Amino acid sequence: MAEANILVAHDQFSCPVCLEILKDPVAIPCGHSYCMGCIKNCWDHTDHTGVYRCPQCRETFTPRPVLRRNTMLAELVEELKKTGLNPRPAQSYAGPGDVPCDFCTGRKFKAVKSCLTCLASYCETHVKSHSEVTALKRHKLINAIGNLEQKLCAEHQKVLEVFCRTDQMCICWLCTEKEHKSHDTVSAETERSGKQMQLGKTLTEIQQRIQERLKETEELKQAVESLKRSACIEIKESEKIFTELIRSIKKIHTEVIELIGANEKAAVNQAEGLMKKLEQEIAELRRRNAELKQLSETEDHIHFLQNFQSLCAPPKAGDLPSITVNTGISFGAVRKAVSVLKDHIEDFCKGELVKITTTVNEVAVYSLQAPEPRNRAEFLKYSCQLTLDPNTAHRNLCLSEGNRKVTCLKETQRYPAHPERFESRTQLLCREGLSGIRCYWEIRLSGRGASIGVTYKGISRKGGDGSCGFGFNDKSWCLFYSGFSYIARHNNNETAINAPHSSRIGVYLDFNADTLSFYGVSDTMTLLHRFQTTFTEPLYPGFGLYYDSTVKICQLN
């Protein structure tokens, strides 16, 4: 009970500005009391207006009231201090990001309410006047917000309470009678309620998107972990395979070295054995040579005749064959064979590395694909410039309009011989090869019929079989148009298409998504057929024409 009385006493004898116990208390004409320094400082800041206001009840005074110390109140405060008047429990001071109280002096307390009528913010103590003073009770209080000046109309300095739907802006009531007169205006509260529903839908969509993204993030994390585990396993297995490969190469290396060494040893042993026999024969011949020389020099005729028969007999035929020495002996041929083996292995490894690289690059944790175009304006973002290649044109095809138009005629054109020219089918290709991108082009058709498609450059140019015709092989995809029907064709597989006639055909190629789509172009885009396949090489747009038919590549830019 005593504690409650102390709190009441504190509220009765505290300054509404500084919230401390009154110091040199003064009472102003409306009856509210303040520290002399607090009210003087407050009015000093508004001295230029000539109008002075009570910070609590907002009553105005003109001229500025003379301030005199309330002696009785000062003595009462001093007596209460002696009897144990404690300081008021501390409020929260305004920190970074908080809205400070506009009426606190010195260090400001945190505001809890803002008044849209006064355009000021109040702490717990200073806001009490709005519930105690009758004139202030009608003021609109909201949770404390900053930048209250933004709630004022810049033109009339009135509170923004109306929303102009015509100009999509907040205005005051005076604006509705002047600048925004005859505009579609509603109260801010009414507009808020409508936009609140829209906000709710947006929040729902965002929350749903957050859940979807969280799910995708979790799936991506799992995919990354799976990829890491798979990569670790593959690295270890690849190391084993390459270790075996290196061991095999080292084994071949050892065998070649041993083979050369064994061949060398055998040849050397054979040569050394032959050299030993030759040396023996040479020694024997030298011995007989010495004896014959000695015999030829003797003066004893009887001795000469007695030994002549035995010494002059022809040498016995030796066991040694005739010898031809290879002075250019070398293992250069072996080195050449080893070098050829090295080149073969390197070429093979390069080719296999390309395949391995392609396979590794196909492993992806995620796939980001831009959405499919929904209307012609979006398709046109991917438009590409195409020109017809005269070197590929059959001799019954006549090109014109800067190689953007082709007509099939009976007359043979005088084209020079070229290995890329179609000889049996009235077809031709464009110069541009398309790869790794999105492309869109449009064709205008007239006459009996034509084929529109794409092909790998390696399609056959000679012969009358299906290896040359668009859509009759695994190298080309096409849409056949006969003036009254469509047929999609690839690798000699046909799909009949039931769709309205259109003389303008749009072709959309998404190389990365491996899709080729054909559209009938009019006021809308009508999908005629879509090929879903795997493109492994650059694609060249091409056309095949019936007699007296024309194909023109449309200028889209």
Side-chain angles (χ1 to χ4, degrees):
M1 188 69 176
E3 183 179 355
N5 291 333
I6 290 174
L7 291 176
V8 171
H10 187 286
D11 288 339
Q12 290 176 342
F13 297 103
S14 63
C15 173
V17 176
C18 68
L19 305 181
E20 301 292 341
I21 299 300
L22 289 165
K23 298 175 183 177
D24 293 331
V26 296
I28 62 176
C30 64
H32 290 109
S33 300
Y34 299 90
C35 297
M36 180 177 289
C38 291
I39 191 64
K40 184 179 179 180
N41 182 61
C42 182
W43 283 350
D44 285 345
H45 282 83
T46 58
D47 189 49
H48 62 281
T49 65
V51 178
Y52 304 92
R53 193 185 304 268
C54 172
Q56 281 191 274
C57 65
R58 314 298 287 178
E59 183 177 344
T60 58
F61 314 105
T62 305
R64 178 170 176 168
V66 177
L67 300 176
R68 291 186 175 86
R69 187 171 187 268
N70 189 327
T71 306
M72 183 180 294
L73 185 58
E75 291 175 355
L76 182 58
V77 168
E78 290 300 324
E79 288 297 324
L80 288 173
K81 284 183 178 179
K82 293 177 181 179
T83 58
L85 181 65
N86 294 320
R88 179 180 179 86
Q91 299 185 68
S92 299
Y93 287 108
D98 293 330
V99 178
C101 175
D102 291 324
F103 290 90
C104 290
T105 59
R107 187 177 181 185
K108 295 181 178 292
F109 287 112
K110 179 180 177 181
V112 294
K113 294 290 182 180
S114 294
C115 178
L116 295 181
T117 306
C118 304
L119 292 178
S121 297
Y122 302 88
C123 64
E124 291 180 359
T125 300
H126 288 133
V127 78
K128 288 184 177 180
S129 58
H130 281 73
S131 60
E132 297 172 353
V133 179
T134 303
L136 302 181
K137 289 181 179 179
R138 293 191 298 270
H139 290 192
K140 186 174 182 179
L141 296 176
I142 62 173
N143 290 332
I145 59 172
N147 300 322
L148 285 169
E149 296 80 6
Q150 295 181 1
K151 307 298 182 293
L152 283 179
C153 173
E155 181 70 21
H156 305 108
Q157 294 300 305
K158 298 294 182 182
V159 177
L160 300 173
E161 298 180 277
V162 181
F163 185 80
C164 177
R165 288 175 173 172
T166 305
D167 295 331
Q168 290 293 301
M169 61 184 296
C170 294
I171 59 176
C172 69
W173 285 110
L174 287 178
C175 291
T176 62
E177 300 174 0
K178 296 182 179 181
E179 295 88 348
H180 297 266
K181 188 175 182 179
S182 76
H183 286 190
D184 181 11
T185 59
V186 294
S187 68
E189 185 177 357
T190 301
E191 184 66 17
R192 163 71 184 271
S193 63
K195 291 190 179 298
Q196 188 73 30
M197 295 177 63
Q198 181 180 348
L199 179 63
K201 293 180 180 178
T202 303
L203 283 173
T204 301
E205 292 177 359
I206 290 175
Q207 290 168 1
Q208 183 178 357
R209 181 71 64 85
I210 290 173
Q211 294 303 317
E212 291 174 354
R213 291 308 192 199
L214 287 173
K215 181 180 178 182
E216 291 169 356
T217 301
E218 185 60 31
E219 291 175 351
L220 193 57
K221 287 180 180 178
Q222 294 178 2
V224 168
E225 292 302 320
S226 176
L227 179 69
K228 288 180 178 179
R229 291 193 298 270
S230 177
C232 183
I233 293 172
E234 292 306 317
I235 288 173
K236 290 181 179 178
E237 292 300 320
S238 296
E239 286 179 347
K240 290 180 181 179
I241 294 172
F242 278 108
T243 300
E244 290 296 326
L245 178 60
I246 293 170
R247 186 181 293 115
S248 298
I249 293 175
K250 286 184 176 180
K251 183 179 179 182
I252 295 173
H253 169 236
T254 302
E255 290 176 354
V256 170
I257 297 302
E258 290 177 352
L259 179 62
I260 294 173
N263 188 277
E264 173 197 14
K265 185 176 181 180
V268 169
N269 289 339
Q270 185 178 10
E272 288 177 346
L274 184 58
M275 287 169 59
K276 187 175 181 180
K277 291 183 178 180
L278 288 173
E279 288 172 354
Q280 291 176 351
E281 184 175 349
I282 289 169
E284 178 63 23
L285 291 173
R286 283 177 176 173
R287 183 185 63 76
R288 290 193 62 188
N289 180 65
E291 290 179 349
L292 289 173
K293 186 177 180 181
Q294 185 180 3
L295 181 64
S296 67
E297 293 175 353
T298 183
E299 295 179 355
D300 186 347
H301 301 303
I302 299 301
H303 175 76
F304 177 86
L305 293 173
Q306 287 176 341
N307 292 284
F308 174 79
Q309 191 68 29
S310 59
L311 292 177
C312 287
K316 293 181 180 179
D319 297 331
L320 294 177
S322 63
I323 300 171
T324 302
V325 179
N326 182 7
T327 57
I329 188 169
S330 169
F331 284 98
V334 177
R335 182 171 64 250
K336 183 177 180 181
V338 173
S339 179
V340 170
L341 174 62
K342 178 185 78 72
D343 293 340
H344 284 329
I345 292 176
E346 287 180 349
D347 292 341
F348 176 78
C349 289
K350 287 177 182 178
E352 292 303 309
L353 181 60
V354 171
K355 296 178 183 178
I356 293 171
T357 302
T358 302
T359 303
V360 171
N361 289 339
E362 289 176 353
V363 179
V365 178
Y366 62 90
S367 175
L368 293 178
Q369 289 290 341
E372 183 88 3
R374 292 164 294 183
N375 52 55
R376 187 166 180 266
E378 293 185 3
F379 278 105
L380 291 178
K381 295 178 182 178
Y382 303 102
S383 61
C384 61
Q385 297 290 338
L386 298 177
T387 53
L388 300 169
D389 186 356
N391 292 331
T392 65
H394 186 274
R395 286 187 171 85
N396 286 107
L397 298 179
C398 178
L399 277 64
S400 59
E401 297 187 13
N403 291 342
R404 297 182 64 85
K405 180 179 179 181
V406 56
T407 304
C408 185
L409 306 174
K410 287 184 178 180
E411 297 81 8
T412 302
Q413 308 300 307
R414 295 183 178 180
Y415 295 138
H418 198 282
E420 294 187 1
R421 190 175 308 286
F422 287 97
E423 295 186 354
S424 60
R425 291 186 178 261
T426 49
Q427 299 178 160
L428 81 169
L429 302 180
C430 290
R431 294 181 183 274
E432 295 78 15
L434 309 177
S435 175
I437 56 175
R438 290 182 168 201
C439 299
Y440 178 75
W441 61 98
E442 289 181 358
I443 308 300
R444 186 172 291 279
L445 306 169
S446 62
R448 296 176 56 201
S451 294
I452 310 159
V454 296
T455 179
Y456 296 146
K457 197 168 186 178
I459 189 172
S460 178
R461 315 301 171 99
K462 307 179 187 302
D465 59 1
S467 62
C468 299
F470 294 151
F472 289 96
N473 47 70
D474 61 357
K475 292 182 174 61
S476 58
W477 298 257
C478 81
L479 179 75
F480 174 74
Y481 167 76
S482 65
F484 56 87
S485 66
Y486 300 100
I487 295 175
R489 185 181 290 126
H490 169 63
N491 204 19
N492 210 22
N493 293 318
E494 297 184 351
T495 302
I497 300 168
N498 184 17
H501 162 76
S502 177
S503 61
R504 195 178 183 101
I505 304 296
V507 186
Y508 176 66
L509 170 65
D510 190 339
F511 198 94
N512 290 327
D514 291 321
T515 59
L516 174 68
S517 306
F518 295 90
Y519 291 86
V521 181
S522 56
D523 294 336
T524 59
M525 302 287 290
T526 303
L527 178 63
L528 302 175
H529 187 76
R530 176 178 290 121
F531 289 103
Q532 182 71 57
T533 183
T534 301
F535 300 124
T536 58
E537 301 176 27
L539 294 167
Y540 289 79
F543 311 100
L545 286 78
Y546 277 179
Y547 163 68
D548 202 24
S549 296
T550 297
V551 170
K552 180 179 178 180
I553 302 174
C554 300
Q555 186 75 39
L556 299 180
N557 296 330

